[in-house]
Amino acid sequence: MNNKSGFEMATNIVRFVVFVICTIFYFSQVPGGMSTDVKVDDVKKYFSDESSKNTLVLYIKQASQSGGVKVVNGVQTINKSKLIGFIEKEGSFFVQYAPFYNYKRIFQLGIIVIFYIIVATVLSRTMVYHPGMSIGFASMDFVLSTLFIFFTGGIKGPFILLYVLIIVHVAAQFGTLYSVGTSVLTLIVLIICSNFSQFYAVNSVTLINVVPFGLFLGLTGFLVGSLYKLVAPVTVSIGSTEESTVMPHMVVDDSQRRLEEITKKYQAQTKELQRYAGMEENFRRKQREFRGIHEIIQEIVSEVDIKKLLPLTMTKAAEECEARVGAILLKLSRTGDLRVYERYNLSPISEKIFNCKYGEGIIGSVALKGEPLALSKTDKDPRFSFFANCPERIQNFLCVPMTHKGQSKGVILLCNKLTGSRFSEDDERSLSILAGIAATAIANAELFKEIANKNEELGTANRKLEDSIEDTITTLAEALDAKDSYTREHSKRICKYAVEFARYLNLDERNIEIIRRGSLLHDIGKIGIPDRILFKPEGLTDDEFTIIKSHVIEGAKIISKVEPLRSLCDIVKYHHEKFDGSGYPNGLKGDEIPIGARIVAVVDTYDAMTTDRPYRKGFTPEVALEKMAKFAPNQVGMDMFLKFEKMIREKNFFRI
């Protein structure tokens, strides 16, 4: 056997079986067994020597005269306890008939043995094996065996077999040498105990019968130890032949030690896993709680209308904490008082009771201190009298402050817990989270309302500004119109062409609006050109042309002085730039020219060519496009021209 703990378990079973067998045999030999009465004839047969019989017959006769002997169905019986009391007074009975009058002690020792076997079994199953375990069990066996033997007639009694069990136990666990040593120790103990008159069976132990018994025990130990040496290598040499040939019992010990270490580590890991499992379950429970809180928070923070926010918060708080009654009180910005703004199963009478000044009463103090408060009527707290006149018969309550950035927004009050006699710490934690989120949501709702009011004011201001801008543009256009009627109509046509072309190019509405305004005022700089040059019928000198070209710079200066019109400066300043860089005022080329200025340049050229002038008739759209195609690469860029031409043809050569 390679499992010493398993061997100890097997030993416990054998120990119990041997004890039961010996006990049964013992009580089968003793007159009366375990009964309180014993037959007179059985007692006479049990006591064999004549002296004892005569003494007993005299005692039985005396007992019969005093009513101590009963006759049941014609059979005489005598009380065993009284008989034993008589025998104990007669010292001559002690040694020879100890089994008879010690039956109660044997029973008591039996109870001890059963308890010992149970303890040994538990220790063998739960503890890692150590040689001290086997030594302790063998020592206990030795003590109990010695007591049984000397209580039941010495080595002639049945319990002498318990010594054999000890020898077998030691031989199997420690080897032949230890079993022989135990046999010698047994002989010494028996001889020593035979000198103590307190033991009832001392006269049964003599050298004549002890020495053969000792030799029998020694031979038994030798045979068992030798047999174990033969069997052990076969049991443990599964993977290694060498290990089985050298000290096989040591191989068993090492294998058992490794197995016990593995078992110990496994048990430790199992406990650790169980601990982690408990932690995981607790985490999952908290996760479920906070998932519910998270869902509530998402609903609350997404609501910016305070008229919807407060009922939502009140309902969720009451459901989460299982409250029958509740209220949300907000702090008034004007007076600082706390007023009920949302009720949950709350009567008008209680609403009036709950309304209070900030910092006063049980509710006001929670708002002031910023700390939650939970009380039950059973707490006998004098502050609970605040709710005495409430029709809801308040039994318990939880009040939590709503604070945002250090400023009190009010409190959430829950009353009458549906389950239990008071609100728990989990309720307080959950409601505190909700109150904090609600306070932030209320602050956001107030801010949102304030922003909405500001936006409305801003919208009004923007509309006024737009009107003002349009008035400015109109005023500037009218000033230009007063100087040149052609320019007036030209700017209006340019505006319509430019807006249509900008939409055709899929520009956004903001840029389209800039192009609309810029095209209207693109020639605003001409308002400062002298009439003699502006309306000169013959050709212009170089100096005069330089003055004409200055209108783009002057126009940009005029526009830049009006803040809302500064975005139009690029169109006014660069609409005479050319794609090849030969334009003015900066000689920009290609994509350096802003898109708005390029659009105005294209439509400006097209309108100038298709419009009648005093000195010539305007070209048809077809002719105008053909002529533009020739100089487009240098002036407006071929890509821009082709898109413009495509739009004109798709719209059937429209004229505005």
Side-chain angles (χ1 to χ4, degrees), residues 509-527:
E509 289 299 322
R510 178 177 175 277
N511 281 315
I512 291 174
E513 182 61 18
I514 292 174
I515 290 171
R516 183 187 74 83
R517 293 175 174 177
S519 59
L520 279 173
L521 300 177
H522 73 287
D523 279 336
I524 192 65
K526 289 181 179 181
I527 200 170

Side-chain angles (χ1 to χ4, degrees), residues 406-449:
Q407 294 184 348
S408 175
K409 294 296 180 181
V411 298
I412 300 179
L413 178 64
L414 298 179
C415 304
N416 291 349
K417 175 82 170 173
L418 292 173
T419 57
S421 60
R422 65 187 310 122
F423 289 93
S424 65
E425 292 182 0
D426 288 341
D427 293 329
E428 183 177 319
R429 183 168 53 251
S430 298
L431 190 59
S432 295
I433 294 173
L434 285 179
I437 298 301
T440 302
I442 290 170
N444 291 340
E446 292 173 346
L447 180 61
F448 184 83
K449 185 177 180 181

Side-chain angles (χ1 to χ4, degrees), residues 1-2 223-237 244 248-249 252:
M1 179 172 289
N2 62 356
L223 292 176
V224 172
S226 300
L227 181 63
Y228 183 77
K229 283 186 178 182
L230 295 176
V231 174
V234 177
T235 305
V236 301
S237 61
S244 64
H249 63 283
V252 172

Side-chain angles (χ1 to χ4, degrees), residues 12-225:
N12 289 328
I13 296 173
V14 174
R15 184 182 290 120
F16 177 75
V17 172
V18 171
F19 169 73
V20 170
I21 293 174
C22 293
T23 302
I24 293 174
F25 180 77
Y26 163 75
F27 281 109
S28 66
Q29 298 297 314
V30 175
M34 295 184 63
S35 60
T36 57
D37 295 325
V38 59
K39 296 179 181 179
V40 173
D41 292 342
D42 292 341
V43 172
K44 292 178 179 179
K45 292 178 182 179
Y46 184 74
F47 290 87
S48 56
D49 65 288
E50 291 299 324
S51 175
S52 298
K53 280 185 178 181
N54 293 334
T55 304
L56 283 173
V57 168
L58 179 61
Y59 171 75
I60 291 170
K61 184 176 181 181
Q62 294 174 354
S64 177
Q65 291 175 353
S66 62
V69 176
K70 300 178 183 179
V71 179
V72 180
N73 297 326
V75 178
Q76 287 183 320
T77 60
I78 190 171
N79 183 271
K80 185 184 291 188
S81 297
K82 292 181 178 181
L83 180 59
I84 289 174
F86 168 75
I87 293 174
E88 287 178 341
K89 292 178 182 179
E90 297 290 333
S92 60
F93 291 95
F94 268 29
V95 175
Q96 187 174 1
Y97 303 108
F100 175 72
Y101 54 77
N102 279 329
Y103 82 98
K104 287 186 178 181
R105 293 185 178 89
I106 299 301
F107 180 75
Q108 293 168 352
L109 277 176
I111 294 175
I112 295 174
V113 170
I114 292 175
F115 178 75
Y116 157 62
I117 293 174
I118 293 173
V119 172
T121 303
V122 172
L123 292 177
S124 300
R125 287 184 62 87
T126 58
M127 292 181 62
V128 177
Y129 177 78
H130 187 274
M133 182 186 295
S134 296
I135 295 173
F137 291 159
S139 301
M140 192 66 182
D141 288 341
F142 195 87
V143 172
L144 291 175
S145 299
T146 302
L147 291 175
F148 272 112
I149 288 169
F150 282 96
F151 277 150
T152 59
I155 60 176
K156 295 180 181 179
F159 289 96
I160 199 66
L161 292 175
L162 294 176
Y163 273 143
V164 179
L165 177 62
I166 298 170
I167 298 301
V168 173
H169 185 185
V170 173
Q173 290 290 62
F174 301 103
T176 303
L177 183 62
Y178 288 95
S179 66
V180 173
T182 303
S183 301
V184 174
L185 178 63
T186 301
L187 292 179
I188 295 173
V189 170
L190 288 174
I191 293 172
I192 292 174
C193 290
S194 65
N195 295 316
F196 291 92
S197 58
Q198 289 87 346
F199 287 111
Y200 299 117
V202 291
N203 69 333
S204 66
V205 181
T206 61
L207 289 176
I208 296 176
N209 56 21
V210 166
V211 172
F213 179 66
L215 293 175
F216 168 72
L217 293 180
L219 180 62
T220 301
F222 177 79
L223 292 176
V224 172

